Amino acid sequence: MSALLRSTMLAAARSPRLERTITRLPVSRAVVARFVAGTTVKQAVRATETLLRSGRFVSIDYLGEDTTDPASAEATLEQYRVLIAALGRLPQAKVATGAVRPLEVSVKLSALGQALPDNGHAIALEHAREICAAAQATGVWVTIDAEDHTTTDSTLSIVRELRTEYPWLGTVLQAYLRRTEDDCRTLAGPGSRIRLCKGAYDEPESVAFREKSEVDASYLRCLGVLTAGEGYPMIASHDPVVITAAGVGVQCAQRKTEEYEYQMLFGIRTDEQQRLADAGNHVRVYVPYGDQWYGYFMRRLAERPANVGFFLRALVGTRKR
């Protein structure tokens, strides 16, 4: 996909006007079902149980971001309380202390109030602390998601503070940011869990690599830092080149299969997910759910031309009927 088209799709992800148009199309919800596990906790847990039975792990994300009022941040916090309680009732939540947790929730700090005026950082920190406490009590892990580069310093500051209480807390680093290789070196210490992804926001060239070849090269450098480190790398990619290189890298670092994992998105390269799991690897599927699916969906379209074609073919097919 050309850089221009990708930028256009990512800009569309933040357009309220396009959101109103696309979310009203009946075909949109039908297509989104490929990438989103539903709108309710019950649907998300049902999808989770199916994945667990296949030998894969799960990270569930309640969709939403860029919260602009305290009530919405509180509502997101309550949704995570309900979700974690539901996950805690699954038998997979009862694993031995210290083992890799098959169940996890992913959290965007902007959904917890990070961007609220005056005290957004503190509000997001306290809400994330409550989520971590609930997760620890039920045997579930938490990973703090990465968002656009303007939030990175605040996000990593919150992660560092929370890890003093919850050392198993994970976070996400995005390889397309120029700073990420240094962040990997800083954060790859004992007990760390770092999900390394390429990045899915439209960032300026001053802070991010824009060319695919540069992003790919940065990803592999960052992965090398993480695999040589003392933490638990989480290799979040669907790219066959990256997956092959990661396999070589973890072998060279003499890592056991329980010392790293692969991560992929719900509905994307499902056969490859299962292949890796069947080969004895830890594979975690990122499972989003909720009504606020538009921004997430548009970023998935921006990532791969096949996703755009899939959506357009479905749209045309619906109009013909």
Side-chain angles (χ1 to χ4, degrees):
M1 179 181 292
S2 70
L4 177 60
L5 181 55
R6 182 175 185 276
S7 294
T8 300
M9 298 297 294
L10 291 174
R14 292 185 175 273
S15 168
R17 180 179 178 183
L18 279 175
E19 179 176 3
R20 287 192 296 270
T21 300
I22 290 177
T23 54
R24 289 171 181 169
L25 294 173
V27 67
S28 294
R29 289 190 177 271
V31 174
V32 166
R34 171 178 171 174
F35 304 104
V36 177
T39 59
T40 67
V41 167
K42 184 177 180 179
Q43 290 170 321
V45 171
R46 187 183 303 130
T48 294
E49 290 178 302
T50 299
L51 290 164
L52 291 171
R53 284 195 297 271
S54 75
R56 287 170 282 178
F57 300 160
V58 175
S59 185
I60 305 182
D61 174 29
Y62 175 58
L63 291 172
E65 55 194 274
D66 298 333
T67 294
T68 56
D69 67 273
S72 295
E74 288 282 351
T76 297
L77 174 60
E78 178 59 25
Q79 183 70 202
Y80 274 102
R81 290 192 187 109
V82 173
L83 171 62
I84 290 168
L87 293 177
R89 291 190 286 271
L90 297 178
Q92 290 83 358
K94 314 303 180 186
V95 299
T97 301
V100 174
R101 303 285 179 170
L103 292 167
E104 179 190 78
V105 296
S106 286
V107 179
K108 286 184 171 60
L109 292 178
S110 74
L112 295 180
Q114 187 179 35
L116 294 176
D118 300 326
N119 57 349
H121 178 96
I123 290 171
L125 169 61
E126 289 309 308
H127 286 170
R129 181 177 279 119
E130 288 193 44
I131 290 172
C132 288
Q136 180 163 278
T138 52
V140 176
W141 266 348
V142 179
T143 287
I144 303 296
D145 268 331
E147 300 181 68
D148 73 78
H149 80 278
T150 63
T151 67
T152 303
D153 285 333
S154 170
T155 295
L156 295 184
S157 172
I158 287 173
V159 167
R160 289 188 187 97
E161 182 162 347
L162 289 174
R163 286 199 72 233
T164 64
E165 302 172 66
Y166 307 101
W168 44 261
L169 178 67
T171 193
V172 180
L173 296 177
Q174 301 176 104
Y176 69 171
L177 294 181
R178 297 179 185 274
R179 63 177 286 171
T180 296
E181 191 173 350
D182 287 337
D183 286 335
C184 285
R185 292 192 179 92
T186 301
L187 295 170
S192 66
R193 292 194 308 115
I194 305 297
R195 177 194 298 159
L196 181 65
C197 66
K198 289 187 179 181
Y201 293 84
D202 192 20
E203 303 284 17
E205 189 172 4
S206 58
V207 300
F209 300 110
R210 302 279 296 184
E211 297 298 324
K212 182 181 183 302
S213 59
E214 293 180 311
V215 176
D216 290 350
S218 175
Y219 191 102
L220 294 177
R221 290 195 304 272
C222 292
L223 183 57
V225 173
L226 295 178
T227 55
E230 300 176 88
Y232 180 80
M234 301 183 288
I235 305 157
S237 179
H238 306 96
D239 187 336
V241 173
V242 167
I243 292 170
T244 299
V248 173
V250 295
Q251 287 181 4
C252 290
Q254 298 183 320
R255 283 183 173 265
K256 301 175 183 177
T257 54
E258 63 268 24
E259 295 176 333
Y260 66 94
E261 68 182 45
Y262 295 97
Q263 295 193 355
M264 295 189 186
L265 299 172
F266 182 77
I268 298 181
R269 297 205 72 196
T270 303
D271 290 346
E272 178 66 0
Q273 294 175 18
Q274 195 63 58
R275 183 192 72 79
L276 288 166
D278 290 345
N281 297 286
H282 288 170
V283 178
R284 193 178 303 271
V285 182
Y286 185 93
V287 177
Y289 81 100
D291 288 321
Q292 303 300 311
W293 50 262
Y294 172 77
Y296 174 84
F297 177 61
M298 293 301 287
R299 287 194 291 273
R300 300 296 77 76
L301 294 185
E303 284 175 349
R304 295 180 66 237
N307 293 342
V308 178
F310 175 71
F311 178 67
L312 293 177
R313 285 193 299 274
L315 182 61
V316 170
T318 298
R319 287 179 173 175
K320 286 180 178 178
R321 284 196 290 271

